[in-house]
Amino acid sequence: MQTNNPFDLILSKLDQLQTAVNGLAENTQKPSSPALSSPERLLDLGEAAQIVRRPVGTVRYYIHHRGLPATKIGKGYLVKFGELLAWVEEFNKAGEKADPLDRMRENRKRYKKP
């Protein structure tokens, strides 16, 4: 009298399924392309906005008023990836050095009642 354990059958089927899933996962993984992280890569305003996590209008404001390096092409702007990262680092360093209350103190001095 031979008894087949149904759990052994289930475990073997699960092993087969797991190997099939692993094979599919390996086939679908995209190799990371060096062009995506190249510092010379040109970004449009939408891509630059995603990187700095700000709206496109804010990135346009940064270009006009805060010195974000960009090249105007037609009606739009293109930003080099490396220059964008360098500008963000510089902007963050400048923000860390400045005391947030300095601006308020300057305004108090400017608008002080005589």
Side-chain angles (χ1 to χ4, degrees), residues 9-31:
L9 179 65
I10 292 172
L11 288 176
S12 68
K13 294 288 184 182
L14 281 175
D15 287 338
Q16 290 174 358
L17 187 62
Q18 184 65 44
T19 55
V21 167
N22 289 343
L24 288 174
E26 289 174 5
N27 290 340
T28 59
Q29 288 179 349
K30 296 179 182 176

mmCIF file of all heavy atoms in Angstrom, residues 9-31:
data_model
loop_
_atom_site.group_PDB
_atom_site.id
_atom_site.type_symbol
_atom_site.label_atom_id
_atom_site.label_comp_id
_atom_site.label_asym_id
_atom_site.label_seq_id
_atom_site.Cartn_x
_atom_site.Cartn_y
_atom_site.Cartn_z
ATOM 1 N N LEU A 9 3.496 16.761 -3.485
ATOM 2 C CA LEU A 9 3.116 17.170 -4.838
ATOM 3 C C LEU A 9 2.975 18.697 -4.918
ATOM 4 O O LEU A 9 3.458 19.330 -5.863
ATOM 5 C CB LEU A 9 1.805 16.486 -5.236
ATOM 6 C CG LEU A 9 1.264 16.819 -6.617
ATOM 7 C CD1 LEU A 9 2.216 16.320 -7.696
ATOM 8 C CD2 LEU A 9 -0.115 16.221 -6.791
ATOM 9 N N ILE A 10 2.346 19.280 -3.921
ATOM 10 C CA ILE A 10 2.164 20.736 -3.888
ATOM 11 C C ILE A 10 3.511 21.438 -3.801
ATOM 12 O O ILE A 10 3.768 22.416 -4.505
ATOM 13 C CB ILE A 10 1.250 21.137 -2.708
ATOM 14 C CG1 ILE A 10 -0.174 20.645 -2.951
ATOM 15 C CG2 ILE A 10 1.273 22.651 -2.480
ATOM 16 C CD1 ILE A 10 -1.103 20.819 -1.775
ATOM 17 N N LEU A 11 4.409 20.926 -2.961
ATOM 18 C CA LEU A 11 5.731 21.537 -2.819
ATOM 19 C C LEU A 11 6.544 21.449 -4.105
ATOM 20 O O LEU A 11 7.246 22.401 -4.478
ATOM 21 C CB LEU A 11 6.489 20.890 -1.662
ATOM 22 C CG LEU A 11 5.977 21.241 -0.258
ATOM 23 C CD1 LEU A 11 6.740 20.453 0.808
ATOM 24 C CD2 LEU A 11 6.115 22.727 0.003
ATOM 25 N N SER A 12 6.453 20.331 -4.803
ATOM 26 C CA SER A 12 7.192 20.212 -6.058
ATOM 27 C C SER A 12 6.635 21.176 -7.105
ATOM 28 O O SER A 12 7.385 21.786 -7.864
ATOM 29 C CB SER A 12 7.153 18.771 -6.564
ATOM 30 O OG SER A 12 5.850 18.411 -6.964
ATOM 31 N N LYS A 13 5.317 21.343 -7.165
ATOM 32 C CA LYS A 13 4.711 22.286 -8.094
ATOM 33 C C LYS A 13 5.099 23.729 -7.746
ATOM 34 O O LYS A 13 5.365 24.553 -8.629
ATOM 35 C CB LYS A 13 3.179 22.160 -8.099
ATOM 36 C CG LYS A 13 2.667 20.850 -8.633
ATOM 37 C CD LYS A 13 2.870 20.794 -10.120
ATOM 38 C CE LYS A 13 2.263 19.504 -10.650
ATOM 39 N NZ LYS A 13 2.461 19.345 -12.071
ATOM 40 N N LEU A 14 5.162 24.035 -6.443
ATOM 41 C CA LEU A 14 5.585 25.369 -6.019
ATOM 42 C C LEU A 14 7.031 25.641 -6.406
ATOM 43 O O LEU A 14 7.381 26.755 -6.809
ATOM 44 C CB LEU A 14 5.409 25.533 -4.507
ATOM 45 C CG LEU A 14 3.995 25.829 -4.024
ATOM 46 C CD1 LEU A 14 3.945 25.845 -2.501
ATOM 47 C CD2 LEU A 14 3.503 27.140 -4.573
ATOM 48 N N ASP A 15 7.897 24.639 -6.303
ATOM 49 C CA ASP A 15 9.298 24.790 -6.709
ATOM 50 C C ASP A 15 9.388 25.073 -8.207
ATOM 51 O O ASP A 15 10.160 25.938 -8.636
ATOM 52 C CB ASP A 15 10.116 23.546 -6.353
ATOM 53 C CG ASP A 15 10.381 23.426 -4.856
ATOM 54 O OD1 ASP A 15 10.320 24.471 -4.167
ATOM 55 O OD2 ASP A 15 10.648 22.300 -4.396
ATOM 56 N N GLN A 16 8.608 24.349 -9.004
ATOM 57 C CA GLN A 16 8.610 24.592 -10.441
ATOM 58 C C GLN A 16 8.119 26.000 -10.765
ATOM 59 O O GLN A 16 8.680 26.688 -11.617
ATOM 60 C CB GLN A 16 7.715 23.562 -11.146
ATOM 61 C CG GLN A 16 8.254 22.153 -11.146
ATOM 62 C CD GLN A 16 7.237 21.176 -11.727
ATOM 63 O OE1 GLN A 16 6.126 21.547 -12.087
ATOM 64 N NE2 GLN A 16 7.637 19.901 -11.811
ATOM 65 N N LEU A 17 7.086 26.412 -10.076
ATOM 66 C CA LEU A 17 6.536 27.744 -10.282
ATOM 67 C C LEU A 17 7.546 28.824 -9.891
ATOM 68 O O LEU A 17 7.705 29.830 -10.593
ATOM 69 C CB LEU A 17 5.241 27.891 -9.479
ATOM 70 C CG LEU A 17 4.429 29.146 -9.695
ATOM 71 C CD1 LEU A 17 3.962 29.243 -11.129
ATOM 72 C CD2 LEU A 17 3.243 29.163 -8.757
ATOM 73 N N GLN A 18 8.245 28.608 -8.794
ATOM 74 C CA GLN A 18 9.239 29.582 -8.335
ATOM 75 C C GLN A 18 10.388 29.714 -9.331
ATOM 76 O O GLN A 18 10.842 30.818 -9.622
ATOM 77 C CB GLN A 18 9.780 29.178 -6.962
ATOM 78 C CG GLN A 18 10.741 30.195 -6.365
ATOM 79 C CD GLN A 18 10.074 31.512 -6.066
ATOM 80 O OE1 GLN A 18 8.981 31.557 -5.528
ATOM 81 N NE2 GLN A 18 10.742 32.605 -6.430
ATOM 82 N N THR A 19 10.854 28.603 -9.890
ATOM 83 C CA THR A 19 11.932 28.679 -10.875
ATOM 84 C C THR A 19 11.457 29.389 -12.142
ATOM 85 O O THR A 19 12.212 30.144 -12.751
ATOM 86 C CB THR A 19 12.472 27.283 -11.222
ATOM 87 O OG1 THR A 19 11.394 26.450 -11.663
ATOM 88 C CG2 THR A 19 13.163 26.638 -10.040
ATOM 89 N N ALA A 20 10.200 29.172 -12.527
ATOM 90 C CA ALA A 20 9.664 29.862 -13.701
ATOM 91 C C ALA A 20 9.577 31.363 -13.454
ATOM 92 O O ALA A 20 9.930 32.172 -14.325
ATOM 93 C CB ALA A 20 8.291 29.301 -14.060
ATOM 94 N N VAL A 21 9.137 31.758 -12.269
ATOM 95 C CA VAL A 21 9.034 33.182 -11.926
ATOM 96 C C VAL A 21 10.425 33.809 -11.877
ATOM 97 O O VAL A 21 10.634 34.926 -12.371
ATOM 98 C CB VAL A 21 8.285 33.361 -10.588
ATOM 99 C CG1 VAL A 21 8.431 34.780 -10.058
ATOM 100 C CG2 VAL A 21 6.827 33.011 -10.748
ATOM 101 N N ASN A 22 11.392 33.118 -11.309
ATOM 102 C CA ASN A 22 12.752 33.649 -11.258
ATOM 103 C C ASN A 22 13.326 33.836 -12.661
ATOM 104 O O ASN A 22 14.015 34.818 -12.939
ATOM 105 C CB ASN A 22 13.659 32.732 -10.431
ATOM 106 C CG ASN A 22 13.336 32.789 -8.956
ATOM 107 O OD1 ASN A 22 12.681 33.703 -8.481
ATOM 108 N ND2 ASN A 22 13.798 31.788 -8.221
ATOM 109 N N GLY A 23 13.063 32.887 -13.551
ATOM 110 C CA GLY A 23 13.525 33.004 -14.930
ATOM 111 C C GLY A 23 12.907 34.198 -15.628
ATOM 112 O O GLY A 23 13.580 34.927 -16.362
ATOM 113 N N LEU A 24 11.615 34.427 -15.416
ATOM 114 C CA LEU A 24 10.955 35.583 -16.018
ATOM 115 C C LEU A 24 11.489 36.894 -15.451
ATOM 116 O O LEU A 24 11.657 37.874 -16.181
ATOM 117 C CB LEU A 24 9.446 35.505 -15.797
ATOM 118 C CG LEU A 24 8.701 34.451 -16.610
ATOM 119 C CD1 LEU A 24 7.243 34.388 -16.174
ATOM 120 C CD2 LEU A 24 8.797 34.763 -18.084
ATOM 121 N N ALA A 25 11.758 36.918 -14.158
ATOM 122 C CA ALA A 25 12.277 38.133 -13.530
ATOM 123 C C ALA A 25 13.653 38.478 -14.076
ATOM 124 O O ALA A 25 13.969 39.657 -14.291
ATOM 125 C CB ALA A 25 12.334 37.963 -12.014
ATOM 126 N N GLU A 26 14.491 37.493 -14.317
ATOM 127 C CA GLU A 26 15.820 37.742 -14.865
ATOM 128 C C GLU A 26 15.734 38.258 -16.298
ATOM 129 O O GLU A 26 16.520 39.113 -16.703
ATOM 130 C CB GLU A 26 16.664 36.473 -14.824
ATOM 131 C CG GLU A 26 17.090 36.065 -13.431
ATOM 132 C CD GLU A 26 17.805 34.737 -13.412
ATOM 133 O OE1 GLU A 26 18.053 34.165 -14.491
ATOM 134 O OE2 GLU A 26 18.110 34.265 -12.316
ATOM 135 N N ASN A 27 14.786 37.758 -17.057
ATOM 136 C CA ASN A 27 14.645 38.175 -18.450
ATOM 137 C C ASN A 27 14.085 39.587 -18.589
ATOM 138 O O ASN A 27 14.365 40.276 -19.555
ATOM 139 C CB ASN A 27 13.742 37.204 -19.218
ATOM 140 C CG ASN A 27 14.405 35.860 -19.413
ATOM 141 O OD1 ASN A 27 15.622 35.737 -19.332
ATOM 142 N ND2 ASN A 27 13.600 34.839 -19.648
ATOM 143 N N THR A 28 13.272 40.020 -17.629
ATOM 144 C CA THR A 28 12.629 41.326 -17.745
ATOM 145 C C THR A 28 13.443 42.453 -17.142
ATOM 146 O O THR A 28 13.105 43.614 -17.357
ATOM 147 C CB THR A 28 11.243 41.320 -17.071
ATOM 148 O OG1 THR A 28 11.386 40.980 -15.702
ATOM 149 C CG2 THR A 28 10.315 40.357 -17.772
ATOM 150 N N GLN A 29 14.486 42.156 -16.392
ATOM 151 C CA GLN A 29 15.301 43.223 -15.804
ATOM 152 C C GLN A 29 16.060 43.941 -16.899
ATOM 153 O O GLN A 29 16.689 43.332 -17.749
ATOM 154 C CB GLN A 29 16.284 42.668 -14.783
ATOM 155 C CG GLN A 29 15.628 42.209 -13.505
ATOM 156 C CD GLN A 29 16.643 41.633 -12.533
ATOM 157 O OE1 GLN A 29 17.772 41.391 -12.885
ATOM 158 N NE2 GLN A 29 16.213 41.424 -11.307
ATOM 159 N N LYS A 30 15.973 45.279 -16.870
ATOM 160 C CA LYS A 30 16.655 46.080 -17.866
ATOM 161 C C LYS A 30 18.059 46.398 -17.366
ATOM 162 O O LYS A 30 18.231 46.766 -16.211
ATOM 163 C CB LYS A 30 15.914 47.392 -18.095
ATOM 164 C CG LYS A 30 14.530 47.214 -18.664
ATOM 165 C CD LYS A 30 13.856 48.548 -18.826
ATOM 166 C CE LYS A 30 12.441 48.385 -19.341
ATOM 167 N NZ LYS A 30 11.744 49.664 -19.413
ATOM 168 N N PRO A 31 19.034 46.291 -18.217
ATOM 169 C CA PRO A 31 20.368 46.709 -17.800
ATOM 170 C C PRO A 31 20.407 48.225 -17.670
ATOM 171 O O PRO A 31 19.789 48.942 -18.460
ATOM 172 C CB PRO A 31 21.276 46.226 -18.932
ATOM 173 C CG PRO A 31 20.381 46.108 -20.110
ATOM 174 C CD PRO A 31 19.014 45.770 -19.571
#
